[in-house]
Amino acid sequence: MTALASLFAGGRDYLAACTVGLPSRATVRAAHADLKAAASGRPDVAAATRAVEDARAAYARIVRSPIGEVAIASQTSVMVSLIAAAVPDGAEVLCPEGDFASLVAPFAHAGRGIRVREVALADLPHAMTTDTWLVAFSLVQSATGEVADAAGIAAAAARAGAFTLCDLTQAAGWLPVDATMFDATVCHAYKWLCCPRGVGFLTVGPALSPHLRPVQAGWYSGDDPWSSCYGTGGTLAPDARRFDVSPAWQAFVGAAPALEMFADADITELYAHATGLAARFRTGIGLAQPLRPSAIVTWPDATGEALAQLTAHGITASGRAGRARVAFHVFNDEADVDRALHALGWGAPVVLDSALDYAI
């Protein structure tokens, strides 16, 4: 991981990739160059458009999706709303209890008699019935870091005749994923994929795609966007691009190098690195190892004491749903784990050799 870590300018004591990822050196350079060109009166729209397509292609590689099934977006809830609009009146959508609101709320507020039923994440494969039209879940839970039984859920949905929607936001970038396991996936790439905020992706498989209407169609949804700028927009793209929204150009300029970096990385090695650090931390504070390893570690912290201890020692972490939360990514190492353990009173101080410490 040293080579990949060297592509970042920081990371020491930053245990919050599950909140927001850090920009790589290449992302910073690309964003600065784009802003400098714009400030000089020479915004490069053509280059920004190429960045959008480079980002789409790289993301398709990361999640193992055909590029024709990838649409660009800006927020998770917007992508989910597209699918919520396709749920039949009165149908049931099954979700895990406590999943992220951007995944669940669009269904809960869709009206038309749509019923959202929530069960424990572990119970999802057993809770589907013939009334379940869609099961929507995050592959990795934001509040707890728990990794879902993706294969079990997908198999159960197939038996029940239900569609699947998987949120990859807390997974893509450290966990090997295959978007083709599901009828649709969504991902906001500003966390583990270290993109600027405002870069998201939707994948739609062949079974669900005919049920979706491009209710958010705009000029970028056209088969030739630059010929779709006026009136009804003309002919929509024949593939998932018909679900595109107008891209945030500057965000995608920064996103393209980040996504290409992760697409080229050895995800198996990255997974082992991140989950290995998390396992070391769990052992250090006396937590049992989960059934499915995760790069996110959470534990009860109702008073916020643990988070305050970490913060007091200069460690960036987060708190969610009454739990303290730390995350380990490519730019972290064992020294980050041990420094966090010491901050919580579980280990000796870690003295870093400045000559050997991060060059990142």
Side-chain angles (χ1 to χ4, degrees):
M1 283 292 97
T2 303
L4 195 56
S6 70
L7 302 179
F8 291 83
R12 172 67 69 218
D13 292 336
Y14 187 79
L15 306 183
C18 55
T19 302
V20 59
L22 300 181
S24 69
R25 298 178 189 274
T27 288
V28 172
R29 286 195 299 269
H32 281 181
D34 182 70
L35 286 171
K36 185 176 180 179
S40 67
R42 294 178 176 84
D44 194 340
V45 174
T49 303
R50 289 194 298 273
V52 172
E53 297 313 315
D54 289 345
R56 190 197 311 266
Y59 181 77
R61 290 170 55 203
I62 291 168
V63 301
R64 307 178 198 177
S65 171
I67 193 170
E69 296 181 2
V70 179
I72 63 163
S74 53
Q75 294 93 20
T76 300
S77 59
V78 173
M79 295 182 270
V80 175
S81 295
L82 179 71
I83 298 172
V87 179
D89 294 359
E92 176 184 274
V93 176
L94 183 66
C95 301
E97 295 171 342
D99 212 324
F100 200 71
S102 294
L103 180 69
V104 181
F107 299 110
H109 298 285
R112 300 184 288 106
I114 293 173
R115 296 168 288 119
V116 174
R117 181 162 62 95
E118 296 177 290
V119 300
L121 180 65
D123 293 337
L124 275 186
H126 317 291
M128 289 175 237
T129 72
T130 54
D131 288 335
T132 306
W133 191 82
L134 175 76
V135 54
F137 67 102
S138 294
L139 184 54
V140 178
Q141 293 293 299
S142 174
T144 65
E146 186 178 0
V147 179
D149 176 12
I153 294 170
R159 291 192 297 269
F163 291 113
T164 51
L165 167 61
C166 185
D167 187 340
L168 304 178
T169 300
Q170 291 287 6
W174 70 266
L175 180 66
V177 297
D178 182 351
T180 64
M181 289 179 60
F182 315 105
D183 295 299
T185 70
V186 294
C187 179
H188 200 158
Y190 74 101
K191 294 181 182 287
W192 299 90
L193 290 172
C194 299
C195 293
R197 186 169 170 85
V199 173
F201 298 93
L202 164 73
T203 69
V204 184
L208 181 60
S209 184
H211 295 267
L212 303 184
R213 294 180 296 112
V215 294
Q216 295 154 180
W219 72 277
Y220 213 78
S221 309
D223 191 22
D224 176 9
W226 294 104
S227 299
S228 307
C229 297
Y230 303 102
T232 61
T235 303
L236 293 180
D239 56 12
R241 291 181 299 117
R242 68 184 180 276
F243 303 123
D244 280 0
V245 297
S246 180
W249 280 328
Q250 291 174 336
F252 273 92
V253 165
L259 293 167
E260 289 168 346
M261 174 183 66
F262 282 105
D264 291 337
D266 183 336
I267 188 61
T268 302
E269 182 182 359
L270 208 164
Y271 170 78
H273 173 79
T275 58
L277 295 178
R280 179 185 179 97
F281 182 84
R282 286 190 182 90
T283 298
I285 63 173
L287 290 176
Q289 301 298 330
L291 177 63
R292 286 174 287 277
S294 178
I296 302 173
V297 184
T298 72
W299 66 98
D301 187 35
T303 64
E305 179 181 358
L307 183 58
Q309 288 175 302
L310 291 168
T311 302
H313 283 77
I315 296 169
T316 302
S318 55
R320 294 292 186 274
R323 304 177 69 84
R325 185 177 70 162
V326 295
F328 300 93
H329 203 10
V330 58
F331 37 69
N332 299 122
D333 60 17
E334 290 184 352
D336 287 309
V337 176
D338 295 343
R339 286 161 66 85
L341 291 174
H342 170 65
L344 295 169
W346 289 90
V350 178
V351 179
L352 297 172
D353 185 336
S354 60
L356 299 176
D357 193 20
Y358 277 38
I360 65 174

